[in-house]
Amino acid sequence: MSTVHKLGRRKTSVARVYLKPGKGTITINGKDLKEYFGTDVLVYKVHQPFALTETIDQYDLTANVFGGGTTGQAEAIRLAVSRALCEINEENRAALKPAGLLTRDARMVERKKPGQKKARKRFQFSKR
């Protein structure tokens, strides 16, 4: 099996993931996973698809991710890894689908409208 390439998105983050058989090394933008994502929660989000499919330390992961914040980037990587694991073995879909890891979260920041302070907040209205 050669390298599997998949794309994942979340908010304004876009992650390109390259998955190949290996010892479980995870590199994101040229850095180690724990070095790139400081918190344990974000590291867990990246490891989640591997834990659910019981494929920890079986694949080497290289990810290029840009845009958005750290949480959006971690969730974009998670989606891309889930898609890649499904392409490698279709049986992984049964474990990933109920956990919601194959669903693209379409929620985005609502745009600011003209004549308003923010997306929904208005300027103070004075009747008199």
Side-chain angles (χ1 to χ4, degrees):
M1 182 196 103
S2 62
T3 305
V4 176
H5 171 251
K6 284 292 170 187
L7 198 75
R9 294 186 180 95
R10 173 73 174 98
K11 291 187 176 180
T12 56
S13 301
V14 179
R16 288 175 298 171
V17 164
Y18 303 91
L19 206 64
K20 62 183 178 186
K23 296 184 175 140
T25 58
I26 298 176
T27 310
I28 300 167
N29 289 352
K31 294 182 181 178
D32 184 56
L33 172 67
K34 290 190 169 88
E35 186 183 336
Y36 191 81
F37 293 124
T39 62
D40 292 333
V41 175
L42 299 176
V43 172
Y44 168 76
K45 282 185 180 184
V46 175
H47 279 296
Q48 201 175 1
F50 295 117
L52 287 171
T53 56
E54 297 169 0
T55 54
I56 296 172
D57 298 335
Q58 290 183 18
Y59 297 102
D60 287 342
L61 172 71
T62 307
N64 295 324
V65 64
F66 61 93
T70 53
T71 305
Q73 287 185 353
E75 292 181 11
I77 292 169
R78 180 174 70 176
L79 177 62
V81 169
S82 300
R83 287 175 172 173
L85 288 171
C86 280
E87 186 171 307
I88 291 167
N89 187 358
E90 195 61 38
E91 292 172 6
N92 290 335
R93 189 173 184 82
L96 295 169
K97 185 77 171 154
L101 298 188
L102 293 174
T103 306
R104 157 69 159 105
D105 195 346
R107 293 177 296 171
M108 302 284 277
V109 176
E110 192 174 332
R111 78 175 196 89
K112 184 200 169 291
K113 280 81 171 188
Q116 296 180 17
K117 246 182 172 16
K118 299 194 307 188
R120 301 205 173 187
K121 188 176 184 178
R122 267 76 168 161
F123 289 113
Q124 189 171 7
F125 175 73
S126 174
K127 199 166 189 176
R128 288 180 186 81

